[in-house]
Amino acid sequence: MGFYELMTYLEPRARRINAQQAESLYASLPRVVRWGLKNLYPYIAPPSVIAERGFRAPPGMYFDNSLAAARLRSLALRQIERLWEAKRQGCKIIGLAQDAGQLLPFFLAGKKLAWFSFDTLGALYAATSRERTAFQAAEQAGVRRESCPVIKACVGLLHTGRIPTPDLIVAQTGSSCDDHAVQMQLKAWLGYPVYWLELPYRRSWQPYFSDEKAYAKDNRDCQRHARVFYQAQLRNLQSRLEEICGAKYTAEDLQGALRKINRFRQTLRRLFHRISVAKFCPWPAIDQLLLHVAAMDGYGDFEETQAIADYLERVIAHRERRGMGVLPGELPSTPHILWMLPVLDMNLPSVLENAGARVTGWEMPHLAAYDYDTNMAPLAAMSTDYLRFTLLGDCRLRLKWLADFLARYRVDGIIYSALWSCTQMPLQAGIVKDFLRNYNIPMLILDCGSPGGLGSGQMRTRIEAFAENLRG
Protein backbone atom coordinates (compact mmCIF):
# COMPACT_ATOMS: atom_id res chain seq x y z
CA MET A 1 0.00 0.00 0.00
CA GLY A 2 1.47 3.37 -1.03
CA PHE A 3 1.62 6.48 1.15
CA TYR A 4 -1.43 8.19 -0.35
CA GLU A 5 -3.45 4.98 -0.23
CA LEU A 6 -2.45 4.54 3.43
CA MET A 7 -3.45 8.12 4.30
CA THR A 8 -6.79 7.66 2.52
CA TYR A 9 -7.39 4.49 4.50
CA LEU A 10 -6.60 6.30 7.78
CA GLU A 11 -8.85 9.30 7.03
CA PRO A 12 -11.67 9.78 9.58
CA ARG A 13 -15.17 8.80 8.51
CA ALA A 14 -16.54 11.48 6.19
CA ARG A 15 -18.50 14.28 7.84
CA ARG A 16 -18.71 18.07 8.00
CA ILE A 17 -17.06 19.99 10.83
CA ASN A 18 -16.83 23.66 11.76
CA ALA A 19 -13.67 25.52 12.76
CA GLN A 20 -13.98 24.63 16.45
CA GLN A 21 -14.38 20.93 15.65
CA ALA A 22 -11.45 21.13 13.22
CA GLU A 23 -9.32 22.59 16.03
CA SER A 24 -10.29 19.69 18.31
CA LEU A 25 -9.58 17.15 15.57
CA TYR A 26 -6.10 18.59 15.01
CA ALA A 27 -5.38 18.65 18.76
CA SER A 28 -6.46 15.00 19.09
CA LEU A 29 -3.74 13.82 16.72
CA PRO A 30 -0.63 12.34 18.35
CA ARG A 31 2.25 14.79 18.54
CA VAL A 32 4.38 12.76 16.15
CA VAL A 33 1.57 12.83 13.57
CA ARG A 34 1.26 16.61 13.86
CA TRP A 35 5.04 16.90 13.46
CA GLY A 36 4.92 14.70 10.36
CA LEU A 37 2.07 16.67 8.78
CA LYS A 38 3.84 19.96 9.41
CA ASN A 39 6.99 18.70 7.71
CA LEU A 40 5.16 17.07 4.79
CA TYR A 41 2.76 19.96 4.15
CA PRO A 42 4.35 23.34 5.00
CA TYR A 43 1.07 25.28 4.91
CA ILE A 44 -1.11 23.02 7.04
CA ALA A 45 -2.18 24.59 10.34
CA PRO A 46 -5.08 24.42 12.80
CA PRO A 47 -7.82 27.07 12.47
CA SER A 48 -6.48 28.99 15.50
CA VAL A 49 -3.17 29.67 13.72
CA ILE A 50 -4.95 30.78 10.56
CA ALA A 51 -7.26 32.99 12.64
CA GLU A 52 -4.21 34.82 14.02
CA ARG A 53 -3.51 35.93 10.42
CA GLY A 54 -6.97 37.51 10.19
CA PHE A 55 -8.97 34.70 8.57
CA ARG A 56 -11.52 33.30 11.00
CA ALA A 57 -14.18 30.91 9.74
CA PRO A 58 -17.61 31.66 11.26
CA PRO A 59 -19.04 28.87 13.46
CA GLY A 60 -21.84 28.19 10.98
CA MET A 61 -19.41 27.44 8.12
CA TYR A 62 -18.93 23.68 7.73
CA PHE A 63 -15.93 22.06 6.04
CA ASP A 64 -14.88 18.53 5.24
CA ASN A 65 -12.93 16.69 7.96
CA SER A 66 -10.32 15.13 5.66
CA LEU A 67 -6.61 15.87 5.39
CA ALA A 68 -7.24 17.02 1.80
CA ALA A 69 -9.70 19.66 3.06
CA ALA A 70 -7.31 20.83 5.78
CA ARG A 71 -4.54 21.22 3.21
CA LEU A 72 -6.83 23.12 0.85
CA ARG A 73 -8.05 25.53 3.54
CA SER A 74 -4.52 26.17 4.80
CA LEU A 75 -3.25 26.76 1.27
CA ALA A 76 -6.04 29.23 0.52
CA LEU A 77 -5.93 31.16 3.80
CA ARG A 78 -2.15 31.48 4.18
CA GLN A 79 -1.47 33.06 0.80
CA ILE A 80 -0.51 36.43 2.30
CA GLU A 81 2.32 34.77 4.27
CA ARG A 82 3.64 33.20 1.07
CA LEU A 83 3.60 36.57 -0.68
CA TRP A 84 5.76 38.15 2.03
CA GLU A 85 8.15 35.19 1.93
CA ALA A 86 8.41 35.50 -1.87
CA LYS A 87 9.13 39.21 -1.44
CA ARG A 88 11.96 38.41 1.00
CA GLN A 89 13.41 35.96 -1.52
CA GLY A 90 13.57 38.65 -4.20
CA CYS A 91 10.56 37.59 -6.27
CA LYS A 92 8.57 40.19 -8.16
CA ILE A 93 4.95 40.43 -6.97
CA ILE A 94 2.17 40.61 -9.57
CA GLY A 95 -1.44 41.40 -8.67
CA LEU A 96 -4.14 40.10 -10.99
CA ALA A 97 -7.52 41.82 -11.13
CA GLN A 98 -10.59 40.45 -12.91
CA ASP A 99 -8.60 37.41 -14.00
CA ALA A 100 -10.37 34.13 -14.81
CA GLY A 101 -7.19 32.10 -14.99
CA GLN A 102 -6.22 33.19 -18.51
CA LEU A 103 -2.92 34.71 -17.34
CA LEU A 104 -1.79 31.77 -15.21
CA PRO A 105 0.53 30.34 -17.93
CA PHE A 106 2.80 33.38 -17.59
CA PHE A 107 3.40 32.57 -13.90
CA LEU A 108 3.98 28.84 -14.35
CA ALA A 109 6.59 29.32 -17.07
CA GLY A 110 9.57 29.28 -14.72
CA LYS A 111 10.20 32.98 -14.04
CA LYS A 112 10.86 34.41 -10.59
CA LEU A 113 7.38 35.82 -10.10
CA ALA A 114 4.89 35.52 -7.27
CA TRP A 115 1.26 36.35 -7.94
CA PHE A 116 -2.11 36.81 -6.30
CA SER A 117 -5.65 37.42 -7.49
CA PHE A 118 -7.53 40.44 -6.16
CA ASP A 119 -10.74 38.45 -6.63
CA THR A 120 -9.53 35.37 -4.73
CA LEU A 121 -7.78 37.13 -1.85
CA GLY A 122 -10.50 39.74 -1.50
CA ALA A 123 -13.27 37.13 -1.47
CA LEU A 124 -11.54 35.08 1.23
CA TYR A 125 -11.04 38.16 3.41
CA ALA A 126 -14.62 39.35 2.87
CA ALA A 127 -16.00 35.92 3.78
CA THR A 128 -13.85 34.99 6.78
CA SER A 129 -12.57 38.14 8.47
CA ARG A 130 -14.51 39.53 11.41
CA GLU A 131 -12.65 42.84 11.43
CA ARG A 132 -13.53 45.43 8.79
CA THR A 133 -10.33 47.49 8.66
CA ALA A 134 -9.64 46.65 5.01
CA PHE A 135 -13.09 47.83 3.96
CA GLN A 136 -12.72 51.01 6.00
CA ALA A 137 -9.28 51.71 4.53
CA ALA A 138 -10.59 51.22 0.99
CA GLU A 139 -13.46 53.65 1.60
CA GLN A 140 -11.08 56.20 3.09
CA ALA A 141 -8.94 55.87 -0.05
CA GLY A 142 -11.96 56.73 -2.22
CA VAL A 143 -13.74 53.44 -2.93
CA ARG A 144 -17.50 53.91 -2.67
CA ARG A 145 -19.34 52.09 0.12
CA GLU A 146 -21.60 50.21 -2.32
CA SER A 147 -18.70 49.00 -4.50
CA CYS A 148 -17.92 45.33 -5.00
CA PRO A 149 -16.78 44.02 -1.59
CA VAL A 150 -14.44 41.48 -3.20
CA ILE A 151 -12.23 44.03 -4.94
CA LYS A 152 -12.74 46.59 -2.15
CA ALA A 153 -11.41 44.14 0.46
CA CYS A 154 -8.23 43.47 -1.49
CA VAL A 155 -7.73 47.18 -2.23
CA GLY A 156 -7.98 47.77 1.52
CA LEU A 157 -5.53 44.97 2.32
CA LEU A 158 -3.08 46.56 -0.09
CA HIS A 159 -3.65 50.09 1.21
CA THR A 160 -3.09 49.05 4.84
CA GLY A 161 0.14 47.20 4.03
CA ARG A 162 -1.28 43.75 4.88
CA ILE A 163 -0.04 42.45 1.52
CA PRO A 164 3.21 43.52 -0.14
CA THR A 165 3.04 46.30 -2.70
CA PRO A 166 2.94 44.64 -6.14
CA ASP A 167 5.61 45.40 -8.70
CA LEU A 168 2.76 45.37 -11.22
CA ILE A 169 -1.03 45.20 -11.08
CA VAL A 170 -2.58 43.73 -14.23
CA ALA A 171 -5.99 45.35 -14.48
CA GLN A 172 -8.50 44.49 -17.16
CA THR A 173 -10.96 46.71 -18.95
CA GLY A 174 -13.30 46.39 -21.92
CA SER A 175 -15.47 43.30 -21.47
CA SER A 176 -15.00 43.35 -17.71
CA CYS A 177 -16.81 44.43 -14.56
CA ASP A 178 -17.18 48.22 -14.57
CA ASP A 179 -16.90 48.41 -10.79
CA HIS A 180 -13.61 46.53 -10.93
CA ALA A 181 -12.23 48.85 -13.61
CA VAL A 182 -13.14 51.93 -11.56
CA GLN A 183 -11.40 50.58 -8.45
CA MET A 184 -8.27 49.71 -10.44
CA GLN A 185 -8.28 53.21 -11.93
CA LEU A 186 -8.29 54.51 -8.36
CA LYS A 187 -5.20 52.41 -7.63
CA ALA A 188 -3.48 53.97 -10.65
CA TRP A 189 -4.35 57.46 -9.37
CA LEU A 190 -2.92 56.54 -5.95
CA GLY A 191 0.41 55.74 -7.60
CA TYR A 192 0.36 51.95 -7.86
CA PRO A 193 1.89 50.48 -11.05
CA VAL A 194 -1.15 49.42 -13.10
CA TYR A 195 -0.94 47.77 -16.50
CA TRP A 196 -4.20 47.77 -18.46
CA LEU A 197 -5.17 44.69 -20.45
CA GLU A 198 -8.15 45.24 -22.73
CA LEU A 199 -10.63 42.37 -23.07
CA PRO A 200 -12.52 42.05 -26.36
CA TYR A 201 -16.26 41.48 -26.18
CA ARG A 202 -17.36 38.11 -27.53
CA ARG A 203 -20.68 38.29 -29.37
CA SER A 204 -22.63 36.11 -31.77
CA TRP A 205 -21.40 36.78 -35.28
CA GLN A 206 -23.41 39.29 -37.28
CA PRO A 207 -22.50 40.64 -40.75
CA TYR A 208 -21.96 44.26 -39.67
CA PHE A 209 -19.07 44.61 -42.10
CA SER A 210 -18.75 42.86 -45.43
CA ASP A 211 -15.17 41.74 -44.80
CA GLU A 212 -15.84 40.45 -41.29
CA LYS A 213 -15.18 36.74 -40.91
CA ALA A 214 -16.04 34.33 -38.16
CA TYR A 215 -14.51 31.04 -37.24
CA ALA A 216 -15.99 28.13 -35.36
CA LYS A 217 -14.16 25.86 -32.98
CA ASP A 218 -15.91 23.13 -31.03
CA ASN A 219 -19.26 24.60 -32.10
CA ARG A 220 -18.47 27.88 -30.32
CA ASP A 221 -18.65 30.95 -32.53
CA CYS A 222 -15.91 33.50 -31.99
CA GLN A 223 -14.80 36.41 -34.11
CA ARG A 224 -11.39 36.10 -35.67
CA HIS A 225 -10.54 39.72 -35.07
CA ALA A 226 -11.30 39.35 -31.33
CA ARG A 227 -8.88 36.44 -31.05
CA VAL A 228 -6.14 38.29 -32.92
CA PHE A 229 -6.72 41.46 -30.89
CA TYR A 230 -6.48 39.65 -27.56
CA GLN A 231 -3.42 37.72 -28.70
CA ALA A 232 -1.72 41.09 -29.33
CA GLN A 233 -2.75 42.22 -25.84
CA LEU A 234 -1.15 39.10 -24.35
CA ARG A 235 2.01 39.67 -26.39
CA ASN A 236 2.34 43.20 -25.00
CA LEU A 237 1.78 41.94 -21.47
CA GLN A 238 4.42 39.26 -21.98
CA SER A 239 6.93 41.95 -22.94
CA ARG A 240 6.07 43.93 -19.80
CA LEU A 241 6.51 40.86 -17.57
CA GLU A 242 9.84 40.09 -19.25
CA GLU A 243 11.02 43.60 -18.37
CA ILE A 244 10.05 43.09 -14.74
CA CYS A 245 11.60 39.65 -14.23
CA GLY A 246 14.61 40.29 -16.49
CA ALA A 247 14.21 37.10 -18.53
CA LYS A 248 12.55 36.10 -21.78
CA TYR A 249 9.70 33.63 -22.13
CA THR A 250 10.26 30.92 -24.69
CA ALA A 251 7.56 29.00 -26.55
CA GLU A 252 8.74 25.88 -24.70
CA ASP A 253 8.26 27.64 -21.33
CA LEU A 254 4.68 28.55 -22.16
CA GLN A 255 3.85 25.19 -23.75
CA GLY A 256 5.03 23.47 -20.57
CA ALA A 257 2.80 25.76 -18.50
CA LEU A 258 -0.20 25.00 -20.73
CA ARG A 259 0.34 21.27 -20.26
CA LYS A 260 0.48 21.69 -16.47
CA ILE A 261 -2.76 23.66 -16.49
CA ASN A 262 -4.44 21.12 -18.77
CA ARG A 263 -3.58 18.35 -16.33
CA PHE A 264 -5.07 20.34 -13.45
CA ARG A 265 -8.22 21.17 -15.40
CA GLN A 266 -8.70 17.51 -16.31
CA THR A 267 -8.33 16.56 -12.64
CA LEU A 268 -10.91 19.18 -11.65
CA ARG A 269 -13.40 17.98 -14.25
CA ARG A 270 -13.07 14.38 -13.05
CA LEU A 271 -13.49 15.49 -9.43
CA PHE A 272 -16.61 17.53 -10.03
CA HIS A 273 -18.13 14.82 -12.19
CA ARG A 274 -17.66 12.38 -9.30
CA ILE A 275 -19.21 14.87 -6.87
CA SER A 276 -22.22 15.42 -9.14
CA VAL A 277 -23.02 11.76 -9.80
CA ALA A 278 -22.19 10.28 -6.37
CA LYS A 279 -25.11 8.64 -4.59
CA PHE A 280 -24.19 10.47 -1.39
CA CYS A 281 -22.51 13.88 -1.35
CA PRO A 282 -18.77 13.11 -0.92
CA TRP A 283 -17.50 16.70 -0.53
CA PRO A 284 -19.16 19.71 1.17
CA ALA A 285 -20.19 22.83 -0.71
CA ILE A 286 -17.65 25.18 0.89
CA ASP A 287 -14.75 22.91 -0.03
CA GLN A 288 -16.17 22.56 -3.55
CA LEU A 289 -16.09 26.36 -3.80
CA LEU A 290 -12.50 26.60 -2.53
CA LEU A 291 -11.43 24.00 -5.08
CA HIS A 292 -13.15 25.87 -7.91
CA VAL A 293 -11.47 29.15 -6.95
CA ALA A 294 -8.09 27.37 -7.10
CA ALA A 295 -8.54 27.14 -10.89
CA MET A 296 -8.13 30.92 -11.14
CA ASP A 297 -4.70 31.37 -9.57
CA GLY A 298 -3.72 28.13 -7.79
CA TYR A 299 -3.61 30.21 -4.59
CA GLY A 300 -0.10 31.21 -5.65
CA ASP A 301 1.31 27.66 -5.34
CA PHE A 302 0.25 25.58 -8.31
CA GLU A 303 2.33 22.51 -7.39
CA GLU A 304 0.60 22.15 -4.01
CA THR A 305 -2.80 22.81 -5.57
CA GLN A 306 -2.27 19.98 -8.06
CA ALA A 307 -1.03 17.67 -5.29
CA ILE A 308 -4.15 18.40 -3.21
CA ALA A 309 -6.42 17.71 -6.19
CA ASP A 310 -4.63 14.41 -6.85
CA TYR A 311 -5.00 13.33 -3.23
CA LEU A 312 -8.62 14.47 -3.11
CA GLU A 313 -9.42 12.30 -6.11
CA ARG A 314 -8.31 9.28 -4.08
CA VAL A 315 -10.32 10.40 -1.04
CA ILE A 316 -13.55 10.79 -3.03
CA ALA A 317 -13.04 7.47 -4.83
CA HIS A 318 -12.50 5.84 -1.41
CA ARG A 319 -15.74 7.36 -0.11
CA GLU A 320 -17.71 6.34 -3.19
CA ARG A 321 -16.61 2.72 -2.88
CA ARG A 322 -17.81 2.63 0.71
CA GLY A 323 -21.00 4.63 0.19
CA MET A 324 -19.84 7.42 2.50
CA GLY A 325 -21.33 10.92 2.41
CA VAL A 326 -20.76 14.09 4.42
CA LEU A 327 -24.37 15.24 4.84
CA PRO A 328 -26.21 13.77 7.84
CA GLY A 329 -29.51 12.15 6.95
CA GLU A 330 -29.04 12.44 3.19
CA LEU A 331 -31.72 10.50 1.27
CA PRO A 332 -32.24 9.72 -2.42
CA SER A 333 -34.91 12.45 -2.35
CA THR A 334 -32.49 15.10 -1.06
CA PRO A 335 -32.70 18.03 -3.54
CA HIS A 336 -29.69 18.55 -5.82
CA ILE A 337 -28.84 22.25 -6.32
CA LEU A 338 -26.78 23.92 -9.03
CA TRP A 339 -25.31 27.18 -7.68
CA MET A 340 -24.70 29.74 -10.41
CA LEU A 341 -21.93 32.28 -9.88
CA PRO A 342 -19.82 32.37 -6.71
CA VAL A 343 -21.52 33.23 -3.44
CA LEU A 344 -19.82 36.01 -1.50
CA ASP A 345 -21.25 35.05 1.89
CA MET A 346 -19.59 31.67 2.40
CA ASN A 347 -21.98 30.80 5.24
CA LEU A 348 -24.84 30.36 2.78
CA PRO A 349 -23.81 27.02 1.18
CA SER A 350 -23.69 25.52 4.69
CA VAL A 351 -27.14 27.00 5.37
CA LEU A 352 -28.42 25.18 2.29
CA GLU A 353 -26.87 21.88 3.42
CA ASN A 354 -28.26 22.33 6.94
CA ALA A 355 -31.70 22.85 5.38
CA GLY A 356 -31.55 19.38 3.81
CA ALA A 357 -30.28 20.06 0.27
CA ARG A 358 -27.05 19.27 -1.54
CA VAL A 359 -24.88 21.34 -3.92
CA THR A 360 -24.34 19.17 -6.98
CA GLY A 361 -22.44 21.71 -9.07
CA TRP A 362 -21.21 25.28 -9.44
CA GLU A 363 -21.04 27.69 -12.31
CA MET A 364 -17.76 29.45 -11.69
CA PRO A 365 -15.95 32.36 -13.35
CA HIS A 366 -12.93 30.43 -14.55
CA LEU A 367 -11.77 28.60 -17.65
CA ALA A 368 -11.35 25.02 -16.39
CA ALA A 369 -14.16 23.62 -18.54
CA TYR A 370 -11.81 23.16 -21.52
CA ASP A 371 -8.18 22.33 -22.24
CA TYR A 372 -5.68 24.53 -24.01
CA ASP A 373 -4.99 23.51 -27.59
CA THR A 374 -1.28 22.70 -27.33
CA ASN A 375 -1.04 22.26 -31.11
CA MET A 376 -1.31 26.04 -31.46
CA ALA A 377 1.24 28.71 -30.64
CA PRO A 378 0.96 29.42 -26.87
CA LEU A 379 -0.43 32.96 -27.11
CA ALA A 380 -2.92 31.89 -29.79
CA ALA A 381 -4.01 29.02 -27.54
CA MET A 382 -4.41 31.40 -24.58
CA SER A 383 -6.44 33.84 -26.66
CA THR A 384 -8.69 31.13 -28.10
CA ASP A 385 -9.20 29.67 -24.64
CA TYR A 386 -10.29 32.98 -23.15
CA LEU A 387 -12.92 33.58 -25.82
CA ARG A 388 -14.66 30.42 -24.56
CA PHE A 389 -15.24 32.02 -21.17
CA THR A 390 -18.98 31.69 -20.53
CA LEU A 391 -19.33 34.99 -18.64
CA LEU A 392 -17.68 37.01 -21.42
CA GLY A 393 -20.04 38.68 -23.88
CA ASP A 394 -23.52 37.51 -24.81
CA CYS A 395 -25.33 34.69 -23.04
CA ARG A 396 -25.50 32.02 -25.74
CA LEU A 397 -22.38 30.17 -24.67
CA ARG A 398 -23.43 30.39 -21.03
CA LEU A 399 -26.89 28.98 -21.76
CA LYS A 400 -25.32 26.19 -23.80
CA TRP A 401 -23.14 25.27 -20.82
CA LEU A 402 -26.25 25.27 -18.61
CA ALA A 403 -28.19 23.06 -21.05
CA ASP A 404 -25.29 20.61 -21.19
CA PHE A 405 -25.09 20.45 -17.39
CA LEU A 406 -28.84 19.87 -17.04
CA ALA A 407 -28.70 17.10 -19.64
CA ARG A 408 -25.85 15.36 -17.85
CA TYR A 409 -26.65 15.74 -14.15
CA ARG A 410 -29.61 15.74 -11.83
CA VAL A 411 -30.66 19.28 -10.87
CA ASP A 412 -33.79 19.89 -8.78
CA GLY A 413 -33.27 23.61 -8.26
CA ILE A 414 -30.90 26.48 -9.07
CA ILE A 415 -29.60 29.26 -6.83
CA TYR A 416 -28.28 32.31 -8.66
CA SER A 417 -26.02 34.79 -6.83
CA ALA A 418 -26.18 38.40 -7.97
CA LEU A 419 -23.94 41.12 -6.53
CA TRP A 420 -25.52 44.53 -6.10
CA SER A 421 -22.45 46.26 -7.51
CA CYS A 422 -22.16 44.09 -10.65
CA THR A 423 -24.85 44.97 -13.22
CA GLN A 424 -24.10 41.96 -15.44
CA MET A 425 -25.10 39.43 -12.78
CA PRO A 426 -28.66 40.60 -12.02
CA LEU A 427 -29.35 41.44 -15.68
CA GLN A 428 -28.40 37.98 -16.89
CA ALA A 429 -30.37 36.38 -14.04
CA GLY A 430 -33.58 37.22 -15.90
CA ILE A 431 -32.28 35.62 -19.09
CA VAL A 432 -31.32 32.45 -17.23
CA LYS A 433 -34.69 32.32 -15.48
CA ASP A 434 -36.55 32.57 -18.78
CA PHE A 435 -34.37 29.81 -20.21
CA LEU A 436 -35.20 27.50 -17.30
CA ARG A 437 -38.93 27.63 -18.07
CA ASN A 438 -38.26 24.99 -20.71
CA TYR A 439 -37.00 22.67 -17.96
CA ASN A 440 -39.55 23.36 -15.20
CA ILE A 441 -36.70 23.88 -12.70
CA PRO A 442 -37.28 26.43 -9.91
CA MET A 443 -34.68 29.16 -9.44
CA LEU A 444 -33.87 31.32 -6.42
CA ILE A 445 -32.13 34.64 -7.10
CA LEU A 446 -30.08 36.06 -4.21
CA ASP A 447 -29.16 39.74 -4.28
CA CYS A 448 -25.93 39.61 -2.30
CA GLY A 449 -24.23 42.49 -0.57
CA SER A 450 -21.35 42.31 1.89
CA PRO A 451 -21.03 39.09 3.94
CA GLY A 452 -22.73 39.37 7.31
CA GLY A 453 -24.62 42.48 6.20
CA LEU A 454 -28.24 43.34 6.83
CA GLY A 455 -29.45 40.97 4.12
CA SER A 456 -27.73 37.84 5.45
CA GLY A 457 -30.59 36.83 7.77
CA GLN A 458 -33.11 37.36 4.99
CA MET A 459 -31.05 35.27 2.56
CA ARG A 460 -30.79 32.49 5.14
CA THR A 461 -34.59 32.45 5.46
CA ARG A 462 -35.08 32.38 1.70
CA ILE A 463 -32.61 29.53 1.23
CA GLU A 464 -34.25 27.47 3.96
CA ALA A 465 -37.70 28.06 2.44
CA PHE A 466 -36.40 27.17 -1.03
CA ALA A 467 -34.95 23.87 0.21
CA GLU A 468 -38.13 23.06 2.12
CA ASN A 469 -40.27 23.63 -1.00
CA LEU A 470 -38.01 21.35 -3.04
CA ARG A 471 -38.25 18.61 -0.41
CA GLY A 472 -42.03 18.83 -0.74
Side-chain angles (χ1 to χ4, degrees):
M1 181 180 289
F3 172 75
Y4 284 115
E5 288 74 14
L6 176 62
M7 291 302 295
T8 301
Y9 180 76
L10 295 176
E11 288 278 9
R13 182 167 181 82
R15 69 186 184 98
R16 297 185 311 154
I17 55 175
N18 60 20
Q20 182 178 356
Q21 293 167 323
E23 187 76 28
S24 299
L25 177 62
Y26 190 86
S28 70
L29 297 173
R31 182 175 297 179
V32 65
V33 174
R34 294 200 300 269
W35 177 87
L37 291 176
K38 184 177 180 180
N39 282 273
L40 281 170
Y41 311 119
Y43 307 134
I44 200 165
S48 57
V49 172
I50 296 173
E52 292 172 0
R53 274 68 172 180
F55 296 97
R56 186 184 303 274
M61 189 182 294
Y62 284 86
F63 303 94
D64 191 80
N65 66 337
S66 66
L67 173 62
R71 289 173 65 186
L72 181 61
R73 290 195 302 275
S74 298
L75 176 71
L77 298 176
R78 300 186 72 178
Q79 188 173 0
I80 291 177
E81 297 173 53
R82 296 195 297 278
L83 288 173
W84 282 110
E85 180 60 29
K87 187 80 170 179
R88 285 191 288 270
Q89 293 179 2
C91 292
K92 300 296 184 181
I93 308 295
I94 309 297
L96 304 173
Q98 199 75 12
D99 178 65
Q102 75 268 26
L103 303 182
L104 192 54
F106 287 131
F107 305 103
L108 301 185
K111 308 307 171 187
K112 200 170 182 182
L113 296 172
W115 68 96
F116 70 93
S117 162
F118 276 77
D119 303 78
T120 299
L121 205 53
L124 290 171
Y125 175 87
T128 63
S129 179
R130 290 184 179 178
E131 51 93 10
R132 306 278 95 181
T133 54
F135 290 117
Q136 295 164 2
E139 290 172 11
Q140 291 170 1
V143 178
R144 297 179 62 182
R145 182 182 296 271
E146 62 271 22
S147 295
C148 172
V150 171
I151 302 297
K152 181 163 70 173
C154 205
V155 168
L157 289 171
L158 181 60
H159 204 59
T160 55
R162 295 276 295 277
I163 55 179
T165 300
D167 296 278
L168 189 70
I169 296 174
V170 182
Q172 309 198 30
T173 187
S175 185
S176 68
C177 170
D178 290 339
D179 194 58
H180 142 81
V182 168
Q183 293 198 45
M184 290 304 104
Q185 184 63 66
L186 174 64
K187 299 311 294 178
W189 289 339
L190 292 172
Y192 290 92
V194 175
Y195 180 93
W196 289 96
L197 186 69
E198 186 168 351
L199 305 179
Y201 186 86
R202 186 199 65 239
R203 60 176 173 79
S204 303
W205 179 76
Q206 299 177 49
Y208 290 138
F209 306 102
S210 59
D211 61 345
E212 190 175 56
K213 296 180 180 179
Y215 75 97
K217 183 174 180 61
D218 297 333
N219 297 319
R220 297 171 181 87
D221 291 332
C222 300
Q223 291 173 278
R224 188 181 302 276
H225 71 82
R227 184 184 65 173
V228 173
F229 174 84
Y230 190 60
Q231 186 175 341
Q233 291 285 298
L234 293 175
R235 189 177 298 111
N236 293 338
L237 175 60
Q238 177 180 329
S239 298
R240 185 73 181 90
L241 293 174
E242 288 172 341
E243 291 176 14
I244 289 176
C245 65
K248 295 287 186 181
Y249 288 97
T250 67
E252 290 75 19
D253 291 335
L254 292 171
Q255 286 285 7
L258 298 185
R259 287 192 291 270
K260 287 182 182 179
I261 295 171
N262 280 351
R263 178 172 175 254
F264 181 64
R265 290 180 176 185
Q266 291 160 12
T267 307
L268 277 189
R269 293 199 296 271
R270 289 195 303 270
L271 276 169
F272 284 105
H273 172 72
R274 282 182 175 274
I275 291 169
S276 297
V277 301
K279 182 178 180 180
F280 299 105
C281 180
W283 193 244
I286 287 296
D287 297 285
Q288 293 179 33
L289 184 58
L290 289 175
L291 191 60
H292 264 300
V293 172
M296 297 173 68
D297 68 344
Y299 294 119
D301 187 336
F302 196 78
E303 299 291 336
E304 174 67 359
T305 303
Q306 179 68 65
I308 291 171
D310 290 339
Y311 177 52
L312 175 57
E313 200 167 12
R314 296 181 177 92
V315 170
I316 290 182
H318 172 81
R319 291 177 175 181
E320 282 184 322
R321 287 193 299 269
R322 287 157 178 77
M324 297 164 61
V326 295
L327 303 181
E330 183 178 2
L331 301 171
S333 59
T334 295
H336 288 217
I337 305 298
L338 169 63
W339 205 304
M340 297 191 68
L341 291 175
V343 55
L344 188 57
D345 192 332
M346 293 177 70
N347 288 295
L348 298 182
S350 294
V351 170
L352 178 69
E353 291 176 332
N354 292 341
R358 159 185 173 178
V359 175
T360 196
W362 294 84
E363 181 207 34
M364 286 296 296
H366 59 53
L367 294 158
Y370 315 105
D371 285 348
Y372 285 106
D373 185 348
T374 54
N375 294 318
M376 303 174 68
L379 295 186
M382 292 168 66
S383 180
T384 300
D385 184 66
Y386 186 60
L387 288 172
R388 296 185 294 200
F389 184 28
T390 56
L391 298 183
L392 171 72
D394 69 36
C395 276
R396 292 208 310 176
L397 193 57
R398 188 181 188 191
L399 296 179
K400 184 182 183 304
W401 173 88
L402 179 56
D404 291 344
F405 191 94
L406 296 177
R408 194 174 186 188
Y409 303 113
R410 172 185 163 189
V411 176
D412 302 308
I414 291 178
I415 295 180
Y416 187 105
S417 300
L419 284 173
W420 293 339
S421 56
C422 182
T423 54
Q424 176 187 354
M425 292 184 183
L427 285 174
Q428 290 197 1
I431 298 173
V432 172
K433 190 170 186 177
D434 286 342
F435 177 78
L436 289 174
R437 290 175 181 171
N438 300 321
Y439 294 86
N440 196 29
I441 295 177
M443 175 175 165
L444 172 65
I445 301 175
L446 296 177
D447 296 316
C448 302
S450 296
L454 295 176
S456 293
Q458 183 186 59
M459 285 189 286
R460 177 185 298 268
T461 301
R462 294 181 65 200
I463 288 173
E464 291 171 344
F466 185 65
E468 183 177 356
N469 288 336
L470 290 174
R471 292 199 314 271

